[in-house]
Amino acid sequence: MKKFPDFVAPTKVSYLDRGPTLHLRRCMLQGVDDPTQEWSFDKEEIKIGSMEDNDIVLHDDTVSRYHCKIVQDDTGYVLVDNRSTNGTFINKVRVREAFLKPGAVLSAGQSQLRFNAKEEEVHIVPSRSDRCAGLIGGNARMREIYSIIEKIAPTATTVVIDGETGTGKEVVAQAIHSLSPRSKNDLVVFDCGAVPPNLIESELFGHEKGSFTGAVMTRSGLFEQADGGTLFLDELGELPFDLQPKLLRALEQREVRRVGSAKASKVDVRIIAATNRNLEDEVKAGRFRQDLFYRLSVVRLHLPSLRERADDIPLLLQHFLDHGSYNKTPAGQPKVRTIARDAMTTLQNYPWPGNVRELVNVVERAVSFCDAQTLELSDLPDYVRTARPPSQAGGTRPSMRKATHSGGHPAVTAIDPAAPAPAPNEELLNQTFKDAKERWVASFERDYIAELLRRNSGNISHAARESDIDRKYFRKLMKKYDIEAAGADDDELD
């Protein structure tokens, strides 16, 4: 299909001084013969026909039951004829599938409708609810996200979710999918960082039998499996650079070609992506294509860390205690029902480098140690009980020295807990809140990982287990901050 230029900006979110604003794209239809007939939609698909379950019902004997539909995508609106008896026309030209320009007249049978589109600016007011689908939290930032999700879920808008690991990006994707018209079809999840680079193309697009060694049968890819539904691309920043153009083509053309095939097939898939990297920085560093970044970043949602919404911890804890399978008696009743005040205060003061995922692990571990119906401070892991509140951590960080192995790689070899606390960082105070916070969090993560490795004599598995962090993610943090485990053998590092 030929693509016309954008006439109405796609649905997007802007973060301004007065708060987040949603720029919502609306489809407007008006009867040509009877201008009093008007319809306005912000949904992904508008069905037109003579049956009463259509979005626009035309009482016209020349109109088929499900005559045609208008589909919204990231580039505009597309009119699709549903193999109607008398055909669908745009400005008196019969079409099977075509883009709609503002002012165009579409004809279904003898009925004529004038199409227009406009951008509506909606200031986001935080939801009054402390839940949205599977998301839990009454923090104002979370309630803003709930309102945005409720607005964008019915559209076809591509969404990128960023935030630290463990903040619940997949839960946000599930919420968007469950509130969308695509919920009757599958949400297919693909972790770009969990599949060997040489197999990612086959996983996403499928392959034909014999297309490469080991391809003993034809296999459909995840795009085809998600047809009619949603494809969630987790850890998008891990996608190899040479595969990014193929993903871009799939997004723009809405078609995929299996490895070893000469034929492309159409797919109807909504894309939701997630990353814990700053994609703008990745673009500047040449590791992520700029055109793909702009193609994906129609709506971007930033999930706050658990440190930034510590007021949500009581609500999250109660939910985990009420619904966690690890907290059930054989009769199905909760074993632990409440949490002591000092334990709650300790949990709210802990910095949570692993975010909500780490909180779940800590609660599950604490419940296993608890012998009563109230979870006490003594039931919490040692590292949680002894952690300093985030407000204190910045001025009392242990001093670190980096040494170098003979191979030239940096390795943490000495941490002096008796070293004097550094003076307040004037450079940090002169930065924006967002930049200063990111630097502070990075500093905490680096020191935290290094200290755990020191305490565990460089054993990555033991350090990851003590921190309740997934070993793979622990290794990822080590790589991020150029930390090596002194004394770790080759098997440990593989």
Side-chain angles (χ1 to χ4, degrees):
M1 292 185 302
K2 181 180 178 181
K3 293 195 173 185
F4 295 95
D6 291 352
F7 292 92
V8 177
T11 297
K12 62 182 183 297
V13 178
S14 298
Y15 292 92
L16 308 174
D17 291 341
R18 64 179 185 273
T21 299
L22 182 67
H23 301 267
L24 194 64
R25 186 169 56 182
R26 282 189 172 274
C27 171
M28 317 290 293
L29 293 165
Q30 183 181 47
V32 173
D33 297 328
D34 182 5
T36 61
Q37 289 186 309
E38 293 182 315
W39 298 269
S40 175
F41 301 96
D42 61 4
K43 59 193 300 187
E44 180 180 356
E45 184 176 291
I46 304 155
K47 296 181 292 184
I48 302 172
S50 60
M51 296 294 287
E52 294 297 325
D53 57 346
N54 285 287
D55 297 297
I56 297 178
V57 180
L58 300 175
H59 300 290
D60 180 342
D61 292 340
T62 61
V63 172
S64 298
R65 291 179 301 171
Y66 301 99
H67 197 99
C68 61
K69 62 183 178 181
I70 298 174
V71 179
Q72 178 187 166
D73 74 3
D74 293 336
T75 58
Y77 289 93
V78 181
L79 178 65
V80 181
D81 178 67
N82 290 333
R83 300 187 180 276
S84 61
T85 302
N86 294 314
T88 301
F89 297 77
I90 296 179
N91 296 335
K92 299 183 179 181
V93 177
R94 186 165 183 169
V95 299
R96 288 290 299 274
E97 187 172 323
F99 275 84
L100 284 164
K101 292 183 179 181
V105 174
L106 65 94
S107 304
Q110 298 299 317
S111 299
Q112 293 186 318
L113 303 173
R114 190 177 304 280
F115 166 82
N116 270 299
K118 71 173 185 178
E119 179 183 315
E120 180 180 344
E121 186 175 290
V122 181
H123 179 61
I124 296 298
V125 177
S127 170
R128 295 183 178 181
S129 175
D130 58 10
R131 296 166 193 264
C132 176
L135 294 164
I136 298 171
N139 179 272
R141 183 70 186 91
M142 291 301 294
R143 290 187 289 111
E144 284 180 354
I145 290 173
Y146 300 163
S147 293
I148 295 171
I149 288 174
E150 290 166 359
K151 289 288 187 182
I152 66 174
T155 72
T157 304
T158 300
V159 182
V160 172
I161 309 162
D162 61 46
E164 297 177 15
T165 296
T167 49
K169 295 186 285 292
E170 185 171 343
V171 182
V172 173
Q174 291 168 346
I176 295 172
H177 177 74
S178 67
L179 296 174
S180 76
R182 296 174 177 267
S183 59
K184 59 183 180 293
N185 295 314
D186 292 337
L187 169 68
V188 178
V189 179
F190 178 68
D191 187 342
C192 300
V195 177
N198 62 317
L199 295 180
I200 290 180
E201 183 177 4
S202 172
E203 286 289 320
L204 285 175
F205 307 122
H207 62 256
E208 296 293 335
K209 180 179 179 179
S211 57
F212 55 85
T213 304
V216 296
M217 59 185 295
T218 297
R219 183 176 181 274
S220 62
L222 297 179
F223 267 90
E224 292 177 81
Q225 294 173 33
D227 192 25
T230 304
L231 177 59
F232 176 54
L233 300 176
D234 199 8
E235 299 296 347
L236 179 68
E238 305 292 333
L239 189 68
F241 192 83
D242 59 340
L243 285 179
Q244 293 174 21
K246 297 180 180 179
L247 176 60
L248 177 63
R249 177 177 175 80
L251 293 174
E252 289 185 334
Q253 304 297 327
R254 297 297 180 187
E255 63 181 27
V256 294
R257 181 180 288 109
R258 293 177 180 175
V259 176
S261 174
K263 180 182 177 181
S265 55
K266 291 286 185 182
V267 289
D268 172 24
V269 175
R270 180 183 193 167
I271 299 295
I272 301 177
T275 179
N276 60 7
R277 296 190 182 187
N278 186 320
L279 290 184
E280 283 131 324
D281 290 345
E282 295 297 300
V283 170
K284 292 176 184 176
R287 292 187 292 266
F288 200 85
R289 289 179 61 102
Q290 187 177 50
D291 48 4
L292 178 58
F293 170 72
Y294 287 123
R295 182 63 182 77
L296 286 167
S297 299
V298 181
V299 168
R300 297 177 67 191
L301 292 178
H302 176 74
L303 282 188
S305 66
L306 192 55
R307 293 180 299 280
E308 298 171 276
R309 58 183 190 109
D311 51 326
D312 281 339
I313 289 178
L315 191 63
L316 289 165
L317 282 171
Q318 196 58 54
H319 175 79
F320 299 150
L321 292 178
D322 291 342
H323 300 282
S325 58
Y326 48 81
N327 190 36
K328 299 294 184 184
T329 65
Q333 298 299 314
K335 293 186 294 185
V336 177
R337 296 180 180 273
T338 59
I339 180 168
R341 181 175 297 181
D342 56 348
M344 181 68 76
T345 300
T346 297
L347 290 171
Q348 288 186 284
N349 285 337
Y350 179 68
W352 299 110
N355 292 292
V356 180
R357 181 181 295 136
E358 185 183 5
L359 177 62
V360 174
N361 292 337
V362 167
V363 173
E364 182 173 357
R365 180 186 185 279
V367 166
S368 68
F369 281 92
C370 185
D371 296 323
Q373 291 192 341
T374 299
L375 195 149
E376 302 289 348
L377 180 62
S378 59
D379 298 318
L380 300 178
D382 290 343
Y383 71 90
V384 173
R385 294 200 306 270
T386 58
R388 291 185 296 270
S391 59
Q392 300 174 13
T396 57
R397 286 184 292 131
S399 174
M400 292 178 54
R401 291 188 289 107
K402 274 192 176 182
T404 304
H405 288 313
S406 58
H409 300 294
V412 176
T413 58
I415 300 177
D416 182 8
N425 190 330
E426 196 67 32
E427 181 185 353
L428 201 66
L429 296 176
N430 290 331
Q431 295 182 0
T432 64
F433 172 77
K434 180 181 177 183
D435 291 343
K437 181 191 71 177
E438 288 179 353
R439 285 193 59 182
W440 184 90
V441 170
S443 177
F444 165 79
E445 289 181 340
R446 181 177 60 248
D447 292 354
Y448 180 84
I449 296 300
E451 174 64 14
L452 279 176
L453 286 169
R454 186 189 67 77
R455 285 165 49 179
N456 288 276
S457 303
N459 189 299
I460 299 173
S461 296
H462 290 176
R465 192 176 302 117
E466 181 179 341
S467 65
D468 272 342
I469 297 176
D470 179 76
R471 184 179 181 276
K472 181 181 175 183
Y473 179 58
F474 195 96
R475 288 287 313 282
K476 189 177 292 185
L477 286 174
M478 291 175 59
K479 183 178 180 181
K480 179 179 178 180
Y481 297 114
D482 292 326
I483 297 172
E484 287 192 2
D489 55 30
D490 292 338
D491 292 336
E492 177 68 13
L493 293 173
D494 285 340

